[in-house]
């Protein structure tokens, strides 16, 4: 059974810092991995999707890497801003239909002005 | 391009009642998945519909059921509500193969 963990559970940093969020999964036979952002009480916003054949994806100040063999992904946020404060979730898909889409518990990020 | 929409936004029900939640998928997406997110946890997969057929189910009892319509919109029905059903219910639409999940804003269900 796939299990996804995220470290740290919570993180508080001053504005301008570069930071790394970690995601680990137990079964390396994933189809893809997706990073999401969730504001309190809201739905999920997709940030980056990495297919199993890819090593990384970039969007603006965000960079996500994937090491499938070791069961790890990292989300790098450059020059953090107070608007980045949210919960960040990673999720892995075990098939191309998304039937088995497993989420981690999330990392709650606070960026202090 | 219209994103994923859900209704209602909030709902309060009494234990034992039944509830129906609705989701409209992103334009062109034929796959809809439903998730339950308890406070402080990641979403848990309930089930998925593809071309009006249930296409996979998580560890939820049969009182959680659903439908998908020809326009790919979907409903989640929960019978015999329990206090533990209080959660944020999220739906996501996607296309097979690409399988990038696009989420709606969610429905907050409170069972008293």
């Amino acid at each position: 059974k796939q299990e996804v963990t995220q470290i740290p559970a919570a993180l508080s940093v001053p504005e301008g810092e570069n930071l790394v969020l970690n995601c680990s999964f137990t079964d390396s036979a994933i189809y893809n991995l997706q990073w999401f952002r969730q504001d309190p009480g809201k739905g999920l916003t997709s940030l980056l999707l990495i297919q199993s054949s890819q090593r990384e994806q970039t969007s603006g100040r965000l960079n996500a890497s994937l090491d499938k063999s070791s069961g790890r992904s990292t989300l790098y946020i450059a020059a953090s801003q107070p608007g980045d404060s949210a919960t960040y979730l990673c999720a892995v898909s075990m098939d191309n239909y998304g039937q088995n889409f497993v989420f981690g518990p999330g990392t709650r990020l606070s960026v202090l002005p | 391009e219209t994103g994923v929409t859900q209704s209602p936004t909030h709902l309060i029900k009494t234990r034992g009642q039944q509830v129906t939640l609705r989701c409209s998928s992103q334009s062109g997406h034929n796959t809809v998945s439903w998730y339950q997110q308890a406070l402080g946890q990641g979403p848990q997969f309930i089930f998925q519909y593809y071309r009006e057929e249930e296409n996979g189910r998580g560890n939820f009892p049969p009182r959680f059921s659903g439908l998908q319509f020809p326009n790919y919109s979907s409903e989640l029905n929960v019978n015999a509500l329990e206090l533990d059903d209080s959660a944020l219910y999220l739906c996501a639409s996607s296309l097979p193969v690409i399988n990038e999940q696009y989420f709606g804003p969610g429905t907050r269900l409170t069972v008293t």
Side-chain angles (χ1 to χ4, degrees), chain B residues 38-62:
Chain B
L39 205 59
Q41 299 181 20
Q44 299 290 316
F45 175 70
I46 303 174
F47 47 57
Q48 181 186 81
Y49 278 82
Y50 170 65
R51 292 186 175 178
E52 303 178 56
E53 297 284 335
E54 187 177 295
N55 191 42
R57 189 177 186 92
N59 190 26
F60 281 82

mmCIF file with all atom_site columns, all heavy atoms in Angstrom, chain B residues 38-62:
data_model
loop_
_atom_site.group_PDB
_atom_site.id
_atom_site.type_symbol
_atom_site.label_atom_id
_atom_site.label_alt_id
_atom_site.label_comp_id
_atom_site.label_asym_id
_atom_site.label_entity_id
_atom_site.label_seq_id
_atom_site.pdbx_PDB_ins_code
_atom_site.Cartn_x
_atom_site.Cartn_y
_atom_site.Cartn_z
_atom_site.occupancy
_atom_site.B_iso_or_equiv
_atom_site.pdbx_formal_charge
_atom_site.auth_seq_id
_atom_site.auth_comp_id
_atom_site.auth_asym_id
_atom_site.auth_atom_id
_atom_site.pdbx_PDB_model_num
ATOM 1   N N   . ALA B 1 38 ? -10.411 15.523 5.916   1.00 0.00 ? 38 ALA B N   1
ATOM 2   C CA  . ALA B 1 38 ? -10.664 15.889 7.304   1.00 0.00 ? 38 ALA B CA  1
ATOM 3   C C   . ALA B 1 38 ? -9.692  17.002 7.693   1.00 0.00 ? 38 ALA B C   1
ATOM 4   O O   . ALA B 1 38 ? -8.642  17.184 7.070   1.00 0.00 ? 38 ALA B O   1
ATOM 5   C CB  . ALA B 1 38 ? -10.485 14.672 8.196   1.00 0.00 ? 38 ALA B CB  1
ATOM 6   N N   . LEU B 1 39 ? -10.037 17.721 8.731   1.00 0.00 ? 39 LEU B N   1
ATOM 7   C CA  . LEU B 1 39 ? -9.241  18.865 9.162   1.00 0.00 ? 39 LEU B CA  1
ATOM 8   C C   . LEU B 1 39 ? -7.804  18.449 9.476   1.00 0.00 ? 39 LEU B C   1
ATOM 9   O O   . LEU B 1 39 ? -7.581  17.484 10.219  1.00 0.00 ? 39 LEU B O   1
ATOM 10  C CB  . LEU B 1 39 ? -9.895  19.484 10.400  1.00 0.00 ? 39 LEU B CB  1
ATOM 11  C CG  . LEU B 1 39 ? -9.612  20.962 10.660  1.00 0.00 ? 39 LEU B CG  1
ATOM 12  C CD1 . LEU B 1 39 ? -10.057 21.813 9.481   1.00 0.00 ? 39 LEU B CD1 1
ATOM 13  C CD2 . LEU B 1 39 ? -10.303 21.415 11.934  1.00 0.00 ? 39 LEU B CD2 1
ATOM 14  N N   . GLY B 1 40 ? -6.845  19.128 8.877   1.00 0.00 ? 40 GLY B N   1
ATOM 15  C CA  . GLY B 1 40 ? -5.444  18.868 9.177   1.00 0.00 ? 40 GLY B CA  1
ATOM 16  C C   . GLY B 1 40 ? -4.850  17.652 8.491   1.00 0.00 ? 40 GLY B C   1
ATOM 17  O O   . GLY B 1 40 ? -3.706  17.285 8.770   1.00 0.00 ? 40 GLY B O   1
ATOM 18  N N   . GLN B 1 41 ? -5.607  17.031 7.595   1.00 0.00 ? 41 GLN B N   1
ATOM 19  C CA  . GLN B 1 41 ? -5.109  15.846 6.895   1.00 0.00 ? 41 GLN B CA  1
ATOM 20  C C   . GLN B 1 41 ? -5.113  16.062 5.386   1.00 0.00 ? 41 GLN B C   1
ATOM 21  O O   . GLN B 1 41 ? -5.734  16.989 4.879   1.00 0.00 ? 41 GLN B O   1
ATOM 22  C CB  . GLN B 1 41 ? -5.973  14.635 7.249   1.00 0.00 ? 41 GLN B CB  1
ATOM 23  C CG  . GLN B 1 41 ? -5.964  14.284 8.721   1.00 0.00 ? 41 GLN B CG  1
ATOM 24  C CD  . GLN B 1 41 ? -6.820  13.062 9.007   1.00 0.00 ? 41 GLN B CD  1
ATOM 25  O OE1 . GLN B 1 41 ? -7.119  12.283 8.113   1.00 0.00 ? 41 GLN B OE1 1
ATOM 26  N NE2 . GLN B 1 41 ? -7.205  12.901 10.257  1.00 0.00 ? 41 GLN B NE2 1
ATOM 27  N N   . GLY B 1 42 ? -4.414  15.185 4.682   1.00 0.00 ? 42 GLY B N   1
ATOM 28  C CA  . GLY B 1 42 ? -4.468  15.201 3.233   1.00 0.00 ? 42 GLY B CA  1
ATOM 29  C C   . GLY B 1 42 ? -5.774  14.576 2.748   1.00 0.00 ? 42 GLY B C   1
ATOM 30  O O   . GLY B 1 42 ? -6.418  13.815 3.469   1.00 0.00 ? 42 GLY B O   1
ATOM 31  N N   . PRO B 1 43 ? -6.193  14.891 1.531   1.00 0.00 ? 43 PRO B N   1
ATOM 32  C CA  . PRO B 1 43 ? -7.426  14.307 0.986   1.00 0.00 ? 43 PRO B CA  1
ATOM 33  C C   . PRO B 1 43 ? -7.331  12.788 0.849   1.00 0.00 ? 43 PRO B C   1
ATOM 34  O O   . PRO B 1 43 ? -6.254  12.258 0.548   1.00 0.00 ? 43 PRO B O   1
ATOM 35  C CB  . PRO B 1 43 ? -7.543  14.970 -0.388  1.00 0.00 ? 43 PRO B CB  1
ATOM 36  C CG  . PRO B 1 43 ? -6.739  16.232 -0.286  1.00 0.00 ? 43 PRO B CG  1
ATOM 37  C CD  . PRO B 1 43 ? -5.609  15.894 0.628   1.00 0.00 ? 43 PRO B CD  1
ATOM 38  N N   . GLN B 1 44 ? -8.452  12.113 1.079   1.00 0.00 ? 44 GLN B N   1
ATOM 39  C CA  . GLN B 1 44 ? -8.544  10.665 0.916   1.00 0.00 ? 44 GLN B CA  1
ATOM 40  C C   . GLN B 1 44 ? -9.450  10.362 -0.275  1.00 0.00 ? 44 GLN B C   1
ATOM 41  O O   . GLN B 1 44 ? -10.558 10.900 -0.368  1.00 0.00 ? 44 GLN B O   1
ATOM 42  C CB  . GLN B 1 44 ? -9.129  10.029 2.174   1.00 0.00 ? 44 GLN B CB  1
ATOM 43  C CG  . GLN B 1 44 ? -8.305  10.254 3.439   1.00 0.00 ? 44 GLN B CG  1
ATOM 44  C CD  . GLN B 1 44 ? -7.005  9.486  3.424   1.00 0.00 ? 44 GLN B CD  1
ATOM 45  O OE1 . GLN B 1 44 ? -6.967  8.330  3.054   1.00 0.00 ? 44 GLN B OE1 1
ATOM 46  N NE2 . GLN B 1 44 ? -5.924  10.133 3.825   1.00 0.00 ? 44 GLN B NE2 1
ATOM 47  N N   . PHE B 1 45 ? -8.996  9.488  -1.159  1.00 0.00 ? 45 PHE B N   1
ATOM 48  C CA  . PHE B 1 45 ? -9.721  9.136  -2.375  1.00 0.00 ? 45 PHE B CA  1
ATOM 49  C C   . PHE B 1 45 ? -10.989 8.355  -2.032  1.00 0.00 ? 45 PHE B C   1
ATOM 50  O O   . PHE B 1 45 ? -10.935 7.335  -1.330  1.00 0.00 ? 45 PHE B O   1
ATOM 51  C CB  . PHE B 1 45 ? -8.796  8.290  -3.269  1.00 0.00 ? 45 PHE B CB  1
ATOM 52  C CG  . PHE B 1 45 ? -9.429  7.756  -4.511  1.00 0.00 ? 45 PHE B CG  1
ATOM 53  C CD1 . PHE B 1 45 ? -9.775  8.598  -5.552  1.00 0.00 ? 45 PHE B CD1 1
ATOM 54  C CD2 . PHE B 1 45 ? -9.653  6.396  -4.656  1.00 0.00 ? 45 PHE B CD2 1
ATOM 55  C CE1 . PHE B 1 45 ? -10.333 8.093  -6.724  1.00 0.00 ? 45 PHE B CE1 1
ATOM 56  C CE2 . PHE B 1 45 ? -10.210 5.882  -5.815  1.00 0.00 ? 45 PHE B CE2 1
ATOM 57  C CZ  . PHE B 1 45 ? -10.557 6.732  -6.842  1.00 0.00 ? 45 PHE B CZ  1
ATOM 58  N N   . ILE B 1 46 ? -12.149 8.839  -2.546  1.00 0.00 ? 46 ILE B N   1
ATOM 59  C CA  . ILE B 1 46 ? -13.418 8.140  -2.319  1.00 0.00 ? 46 ILE B CA  1
ATOM 60  C C   . ILE B 1 46 ? -13.711 7.222  -3.500  1.00 0.00 ? 46 ILE B C   1
ATOM 61  O O   . ILE B 1 46 ? -13.830 6.011  -3.352  1.00 0.00 ? 46 ILE B O   1
ATOM 62  C CB  . ILE B 1 46 ? -14.583 9.136  -2.110  1.00 0.00 ? 46 ILE B CB  1
ATOM 63  C CG1 . ILE B 1 46 ? -14.291 10.071 -0.942  1.00 0.00 ? 46 ILE B CG1 1
ATOM 64  C CG2 . ILE B 1 46 ? -15.892 8.377  -1.894  1.00 0.00 ? 46 ILE B CG2 1
ATOM 65  C CD1 . ILE B 1 46 ? -15.329 11.179 -0.761  1.00 0.00 ? 46 ILE B CD1 1
ATOM 66  N N   . PHE B 1 47 ? -13.876 7.805  -4.680  1.00 0.00 ? 47 PHE B N   1
ATOM 67  C CA  . PHE B 1 47 ? -14.066 7.046  -5.910  1.00 0.00 ? 47 PHE B CA  1
ATOM 68  C C   . PHE B 1 47 ? -13.854 7.938  -7.109  1.00 0.00 ? 47 PHE B C   1
ATOM 69  O O   . PHE B 1 47 ? -13.709 9.153  -6.988  1.00 0.00 ? 47 PHE B O   1
ATOM 70  C CB  . PHE B 1 47 ? -15.429 6.333  -6.000  1.00 0.00 ? 47 PHE B CB  1
ATOM 71  C CG  . PHE B 1 47 ? -16.622 7.173  -5.647  1.00 0.00 ? 47 PHE B CG  1
ATOM 72  C CD1 . PHE B 1 47 ? -16.902 8.363  -6.295  1.00 0.00 ? 47 PHE B CD1 1
ATOM 73  C CD2 . PHE B 1 47 ? -17.488 6.763  -4.634  1.00 0.00 ? 47 PHE B CD2 1
ATOM 74  C CE1 . PHE B 1 47 ? -18.011 9.114  -5.970  1.00 0.00 ? 47 PHE B CE1 1
ATOM 75  C CE2 . PHE B 1 47 ? -18.604 7.506  -4.302  1.00 0.00 ? 47 PHE B CE2 1
ATOM 76  C CZ  . PHE B 1 47 ? -18.862 8.686  -4.965  1.00 0.00 ? 47 PHE B CZ  1
ATOM 77  N N   . GLN B 1 48 ? -13.861 7.284  -8.280  1.00 0.00 ? 48 GLN B N   1
ATOM 78  C CA  . GLN B 1 48 ? -13.647 7.989  -9.537  1.00 0.00 ? 48 GLN B CA  1
ATOM 79  C C   . GLN B 1 48 ? -14.678 7.522  -10.563 1.00 0.00 ? 48 GLN B C   1
ATOM 80  O O   . GLN B 1 48 ? -15.073 6.353  -10.566 1.00 0.00 ? 48 GLN B O   1
ATOM 81  C CB  . GLN B 1 48 ? -12.249 7.689  -10.084 1.00 0.00 ? 48 GLN B CB  1
ATOM 82  C CG  . GLN B 1 48 ? -11.925 8.411  -11.380 1.00 0.00 ? 48 GLN B CG  1
ATOM 83  C CD  . GLN B 1 48 ? -10.602 7.955  -11.946 1.00 0.00 ? 48 GLN B CD  1
ATOM 84  O OE1 . GLN B 1 48 ? -10.497 6.928  -12.598 1.00 0.00 ? 48 GLN B OE1 1
ATOM 85  N NE2 . GLN B 1 48 ? -9.570  8.741  -11.692 1.00 0.00 ? 48 GLN B NE2 1
ATOM 86  N N   . TYR B 1 49 ? -15.103 8.447  -11.404 1.00 0.00 ? 49 TYR B N   1
ATOM 87  C CA  . TYR B 1 49 ? -16.007 8.127  -12.500 1.00 0.00 ? 49 TYR B CA  1
ATOM 88  C C   . TYR B 1 49 ? -15.353 8.486  -13.823 1.00 0.00 ? 49 TYR B C   1
ATOM 89  O O   . TYR B 1 49 ? -14.745 9.562  -13.974 1.00 0.00 ? 49 TYR B O   1
ATOM 90  C CB  . TYR B 1 49 ? -17.339 8.859  -12.356 1.00 0.00 ? 49 TYR B CB  1
ATOM 91  C CG  . TYR B 1 49 ? -18.264 8.150  -11.422 1.00 0.00 ? 49 TYR B CG  1
ATOM 92  C CD1 . TYR B 1 49 ? -18.146 8.319  -10.049 1.00 0.00 ? 49 TYR B CD1 1
ATOM 93  C CD2 . TYR B 1 49 ? -19.211 7.255  -11.894 1.00 0.00 ? 49 TYR B CD2 1
ATOM 94  C CE1 . TYR B 1 49 ? -18.955 7.635  -9.174  1.00 0.00 ? 49 TYR B CE1 1
ATOM 95  C CE2 . TYR B 1 49 ? -20.040 6.567  -11.032 1.00 0.00 ? 49 TYR B CE2 1
ATOM 96  C CZ  . TYR B 1 49 ? -19.907 6.765  -9.669  1.00 0.00 ? 49 TYR B CZ  1
ATOM 97  O OH  . TYR B 1 49 ? -20.717 6.072  -8.808  1.00 0.00 ? 49 TYR B OH  1
ATOM 98  N N   . TYR B 1 50 ? -15.466 7.564  -14.770 1.00 0.00 ? 50 TYR B N   1
ATOM 99  C CA  . TYR B 1 50 ? -14.937 7.767  -16.120 1.00 0.00 ? 50 TYR B CA  1
ATOM 100 C C   . TYR B 1 50 ? -16.022 7.355  -17.091 1.00 0.00 ? 50 TYR B C   1
ATOM 101 O O   . TYR B 1 50 ? -16.505 6.216  -17.048 1.00 0.00 ? 50 TYR B O   1
ATOM 102 C CB  . TYR B 1 50 ? -13.674 6.926  -16.318 1.00 0.00 ? 50 TYR B CB  1
ATOM 103 C CG  . TYR B 1 50 ? -13.166 6.861  -17.734 1.00 0.00 ? 50 TYR B CG  1
ATOM 104 C CD1 . TYR B 1 50 ? -12.688 8.004  -18.362 1.00 0.00 ? 50 TYR B CD1 1
ATOM 105 C CD2 . TYR B 1 50 ? -13.141 5.657  -18.440 1.00 0.00 ? 50 TYR B CD2 1
ATOM 106 C CE1 . TYR B 1 50 ? -12.210 7.951  -19.662 1.00 0.00 ? 50 TYR B CE1 1
ATOM 107 C CE2 . TYR B 1 50 ? -12.667 5.597  -19.733 1.00 0.00 ? 50 TYR B CE2 1
ATOM 108 C CZ  . TYR B 1 50 ? -12.199 6.750  -20.350 1.00 0.00 ? 50 TYR B CZ  1
ATOM 109 O OH  . TYR B 1 50 ? -11.724 6.705  -21.634 1.00 0.00 ? 50 TYR B OH  1
ATOM 110 N N   . ARG B 1 51 ? -16.438 8.282  -17.923 1.00 0.00 ? 51 ARG B N   1
ATOM 111 C CA  . ARG B 1 51 ? -17.492 8.018  -18.918 1.00 0.00 ? 51 ARG B CA  1
ATOM 112 C C   . ARG B 1 51 ? -18.706 7.359  -18.271 1.00 0.00 ? 51 ARG B C   1
ATOM 113 O O   . ARG B 1 51 ? -19.196 6.326  -18.756 1.00 0.00 ? 51 ARG B O   1
ATOM 114 C CB  . ARG B 1 51 ? -16.933 7.149  -20.041 1.00 0.00 ? 51 ARG B CB  1
ATOM 115 C CG  . ARG B 1 51 ? -15.909 7.882  -20.885 1.00 0.00 ? 51 ARG B CG  1
ATOM 116 C CD  . ARG B 1 51 ? -15.468 7.063  -22.073 1.00 0.00 ? 51 ARG B CD  1
ATOM 117 N NE  . ARG B 1 51 ? -14.582 7.823  -22.941 1.00 0.00 ? 51 ARG B NE  1
ATOM 118 C CZ  . ARG B 1 51 ? -14.012 7.325  -24.033 1.00 0.00 ? 51 ARG B CZ  1
ATOM 119 N NH1 . ARG B 1 51 ? -14.240 6.085  -24.403 1.00 0.00 ? 51 ARG B NH1 1
ATOM 120 N NH2 . ARG B 1 51 ? -13.211 8.081  -24.765 1.00 0.00 ? 51 ARG B NH2 1
ATOM 121 N N   . GLU B 1 52 ? -19.149 7.933  -17.171 1.00 0.00 ? 52 GLU B N   1
ATOM 122 C CA  . GLU B 1 52 ? -20.388 7.577  -16.464 1.00 0.00 ? 52 GLU B CA  1
ATOM 123 C C   . GLU B 1 52 ? -20.325 6.255  -15.698 1.00 0.00 ? 52 GLU B C   1
ATOM 124 O O   . GLU B 1 52 ? -21.340 5.811  -15.152 1.00 0.00 ? 52 GLU B O   1
ATOM 125 C CB  . GLU B 1 52 ? -21.583 7.550  -17.444 1.00 0.00 ? 52 GLU B CB  1
ATOM 126 C CG  . GLU B 1 52 ? -21.799 8.858  -18.177 1.00 0.00 ? 52 GLU B CG  1
ATOM 127 C CD  . GLU B 1 52 ? -22.940 8.808  -19.173 1.00 0.00 ? 52 GLU B CD  1
ATOM 128 O OE1 . GLU B 1 52 ? -24.070 8.478  -18.763 1.00 0.00 ? 52 GLU B OE1 1
ATOM 129 O OE2 . GLU B 1 52 ? -22.702 9.083  -20.369 1.00 0.00 ? 52 GLU B OE2 1
ATOM 130 N N   . GLU B 1 53 ? -19.157 5.638  -15.628 1.00 0.00 ? 53 GLU B N   1
ATOM 131 C CA  . GLU B 1 53 ? -19.007 4.386  -14.886 1.00 0.00 ? 53 GLU B CA  1
ATOM 132 C C   . GLU B 1 53 ? -18.037 4.588  -13.715 1.00 0.00 ? 53 GLU B C   1
ATOM 133 O O   . GLU B 1 53 ? -17.025 5.293  -13.865 1.00 0.00 ? 53 GLU B O   1
ATOM 134 C CB  . GLU B 1 53 ? -18.465 3.274  -15.787 1.00 0.00 ? 53 GLU B CB  1
ATOM 135 C CG  . GLU B 1 53 ? -19.376 2.905  -16.949 1.00 0.00 ? 53 GLU B CG  1
ATOM 136 C CD  . GLU B 1 53 ? -20.567 2.071  -16.508 1.00 0.00 ? 53 GLU B CD  1
ATOM 137 O OE1 . GLU B 1 53 ? -20.473 1.387  -15.471 1.00 0.00 ? 53 GLU B OE1 1
ATOM 138 O OE2 . GLU B 1 53 ? -21.604 2.127  -17.203 1.00 0.00 ? 53 GLU B OE2 1
ATOM 139 N N   . GLU B 1 54 ? -18.324 3.947  -12.578 1.00 0.00 ? 54 GLU B N   1
ATOM 140 C CA  . GLU B 1 54 ? -17.363 3.984  -11.475 1.00 0.00 ? 54 GLU B CA  1
ATOM 141 C C   . GLU B 1 54 ? -16.108 3.237  -11.904 1.00 0.00 ? 54 GLU B C   1
ATOM 142 O O   . GLU B 1 54 ? -16.175 2.088  -12.359 1.00 0.00 ? 54 GLU B O   1
ATOM 143 C CB  . GLU B 1 54 ? -17.951 3.365  -10.207 1.00 0.00 ? 54 GLU B CB  1
ATOM 144 C CG  . GLU B 1 54 ? -17.031 3.543  -9.000  1.00 0.00 ? 54 GLU B CG  1
ATOM 145 C CD  . GLU B 1 54 ? -17.622 3.003  -7.709  1.00 0.00 ? 54 GLU B CD  1
ATOM 146 O OE1 . GLU B 1 54 ? -18.645 3.543  -7.241  1.00 0.00 ? 54 GLU B OE1 1
ATOM 147 O OE2 . GLU B 1 54 ? -17.035 2.042  -7.158  1.00 0.00 ? 54 GLU B OE2 1
ATOM 148 N N   . ASN B 1 55 ? -14.972 3.870  -11.699 1.00 0.00 ? 55 ASN B N   1
ATOM 149 C CA  . ASN B 1 55 ? -13.715 3.371  -12.266 1.00 0.00 ? 55 ASN B CA  1
ATOM 150 C C   . ASN B 1 55 ? -12.643 3.157  -11.202 1.00 0.00 ? 55 ASN B C   1
ATOM 151 O O   . ASN B 1 55 ? -11.471 3.151  -11.492 1.00 0.00 ? 55 ASN B O   1
ATOM 152 C CB  . ASN B 1 55 ? -13.219 4.384  -13.304 1.00 0.00 ? 55 ASN B CB  1
ATOM 153 C CG  . ASN B 1 55 ? -12.081 3.856  -14.132 1.00 0.00 ? 55 ASN B CG  1
ATOM 154 O OD1 . ASN B 1 55 ? -12.090 2.710  -14.559 1.00 0.00 ? 55 ASN B OD1 1
ATOM 155 N ND2 . ASN B 1 55 ? -11.067 4.679  -14.336 1.00 0.00 ? 55 ASN B ND2 1
ATOM 156 N N   . GLY B 1 56 ? -13.070 2.991  -9.978  1.00 0.00 ? 56 GLY B N   1
ATOM 157 C CA  . GLY B 1 56 ? -12.122 2.814  -8.896  1.00 0.00 ? 56 GLY B CA  1
ATOM 158 C C   . GLY B 1 56 ? -12.715 3.378  -7.633  1.00 0.00 ? 56 GLY B C   1
ATOM 159 O O   . GLY B 1 56 ? -13.462 4.367  -7.678  1.00 0.00 ? 56 GLY B O   1
ATOM 160 N N   . ARG B 1 57 ? -12.402 2.759  -6.499  1.00 0.00 ? 57 ARG B N   1
ATOM 161 C CA  . ARG B 1 57 ? -12.991 3.166  -5.238  1.00 0.00 ? 57 ARG B CA  1
ATOM 162 C C   . ARG B 1 57 ? -11.969 3.034  -4.123  1.00 0.00 ? 57 ARG B C   1
ATOM 163 O O   . ARG B 1 57 ? -11.211 2.054  -4.082  1.00 0.00 ? 57 ARG B O   1
ATOM 164 C CB  . ARG B 1 57 ? -14.207 2.285  -4.932  1.00 0.00 ? 57 ARG B CB  1
ATOM 165 C CG  . ARG B 1 57 ? -15.031 2.746  -3.762  1.00 0.00 ? 57 ARG B CG  1
ATOM 166 C CD  . ARG B 1 57 ? -16.258 1.850  -3.566  1.00 0.00 ? 57 ARG B CD  1
ATOM 167 N NE  . ARG B 1 57 ? -17.116 2.397  -2.510  1.00 0.00 ? 57 ARG B NE  1
ATOM 168 C CZ  . ARG B 1 57 ? -18.122 3.222  -2.714  1.00 0.00 ? 57 ARG B CZ  1
ATOM 169 N NH1 . ARG B 1 57 ? -18.424 3.579  -3.955  1.00 0.00 ? 57 ARG B NH1 1
ATOM 170 N NH2 . ARG B 1 57 ? -18.833 3.682  -1.716  1.00 0.00 ? 57 ARG B NH2 1
ATOM 171 N N   . GLY B 1 58 ? -11.964 3.997  -3.224  1.00 0.00 ? 58 GLY B N   1
ATOM 172 C CA  . GLY B 1 58 ? -11.103 3.926  -2.050  1.00 0.00 ? 58 GLY B CA  1
ATOM 173 C C   . GLY B 1 58 ? -11.805 3.176  -0.928  1.00 0.00 ? 58 GLY B C   1
ATOM 174 O O   . GLY B 1 58 ? -12.824 2.520  -1.130  1.00 0.00 ? 58 GLY B O   1
ATOM 175 N N   . ASN B 1 59 ? -11.274 3.305  0.271   1.00 0.00 ? 59 ASN B N   1
ATOM 176 C CA  . ASN B 1 59 ? -11.770 2.555  1.423   1.00 0.00 ? 59 ASN B CA  1
ATOM 177 C C   . ASN B 1 59 ? -12.938 3.293  2.088   1.00 0.00 ? 59 ASN B C   1
ATOM 178 O O   . ASN B 1 59 ? -12.832 3.742  3.231   1.00 0.00 ? 59 ASN B O   1
ATOM 179 C CB  . ASN B 1 59 ? -10.623 2.338  2.413   1.00 0.00 ? 59 ASN B CB  1
ATOM 180 C CG  . ASN B 1 59 ? -10.998 1.373  3.505   1.00 0.00 ? 59 ASN B CG  1
ATOM 181 O OD1 . ASN B 1 59 ? -11.848 0.522  3.325   1.00 0.00 ? 59 ASN B OD1 1
ATOM 182 N ND2 . ASN B 1 59 ? -10.359 1.524  4.653   1.00 0.00 ? 59 ASN B ND2 1
ATOM 183 N N   . PHE B 1 60 ? -14.030 3.431  1.372   1.00 0.00 ? 60 PHE B N   1
ATOM 184 C CA  . PHE B 1 60 ? -15.235 4.074  1.899   1.00 0.00 ? 60 PHE B CA  1
ATOM 185 C C   . PHE B 1 60 ? -16.420 3.116  1.779   1.00 0.00 ? 60 PHE B C   1
ATOM 186 O O   . PHE B 1 60 ? -16.505 2.350  0.828   1.00 0.00 ? 60 PHE B O   1
ATOM 187 C CB  . PHE B 1 60 ? -15.522 5.372  1.115   1.00 0.00 ? 60 PHE B CB  1
ATOM 188 C CG  . PHE B 1 60 ? -14.656 6.525  1.552   1.00 0.00 ? 60 PHE B CG  1
ATOM 189 C CD1 . PHE B 1 60 ? -13.366 6.664  1.071   1.00 0.00 ? 60 PHE B CD1 1
ATOM 190 C CD2 . PHE B 1 60 ? -15.122 7.461  2.458   1.00 0.00 ? 60 PHE B CD2 1
ATOM 191 C CE1 . PHE B 1 60 ? -12.545 7.704  1.485   1.00 0.00 ? 60 PHE B CE1 1
ATOM 192 C CE2 . PHE B 1 60 ? -14.324 8.517  2.872   1.00 0.00 ? 60 PHE B CE2 1
ATOM 193 C CZ  . PHE B 1 60 ? -13.032 8.634  2.387   1.00 0.00 ? 60 PHE B CZ  1
ATOM 194 N N   . PRO B 1 61 ? -17.344 3.167  2.758   1.00 0.00 ? 61 PRO B N   1
ATOM 195 C CA  . PRO B 1 61 ? -18.479 2.228  2.763   1.00 0.00 ? 61 PRO B CA  1
ATOM 196 C C   . PRO B 1 61 ? -19.460 2.523  1.632   1.00 0.00 ? 61 PRO B C   1
ATOM 197 O O   . PRO B 1 61 ? -19.444 3.613  1.051   1.00 0.00 ? 61 PRO B O   1
ATOM 198 C CB  . PRO B 1 61 ? -19.108 2.455  4.136   1.00 0.00 ? 61 PRO B CB  1
ATOM 199 C CG  . PRO B 1 61 ? -18.718 3.855  4.503   1.00 0.00 ? 61 PRO B CG  1
ATOM 200 C CD  . PRO B 1 61 ? -17.361 4.074  3.927   1.00 0.00 ? 61 PRO B CD  1
ATOM 201 N N   . PRO B 1 62 ? -20.356 1.579  1.350   1.00 0.00 ? 62 PRO B N   1
ATOM 202 C CA  . PRO B 1 62 ? -21.316 1.716  0.243   1.00 0.00 ? 62 PRO B CA  1
ATOM 203 C C   . PRO B 1 62 ? -22.278 2.884  0.405   1.00 0.00 ? 62 PRO B C   1
ATOM 204 O O   . PRO B 1 62 ? -22.902 3.299  -0.582  1.00 0.00 ? 62 PRO B O   1
ATOM 205 C CB  . PRO B 1 62 ? -22.064 0.375  0.275   1.00 0.00 ? 62 PRO B CB  1
ATOM 206 C CG  . PRO B 1 62 ? -21.140 -0.570 0.938   1.00 0.00 ? 62 PRO B CG  1
ATOM 207 C CD  . PRO B 1 62 ? -20.383 0.236  1.948   1.00 0.00 ? 62 PRO B CD  1
#
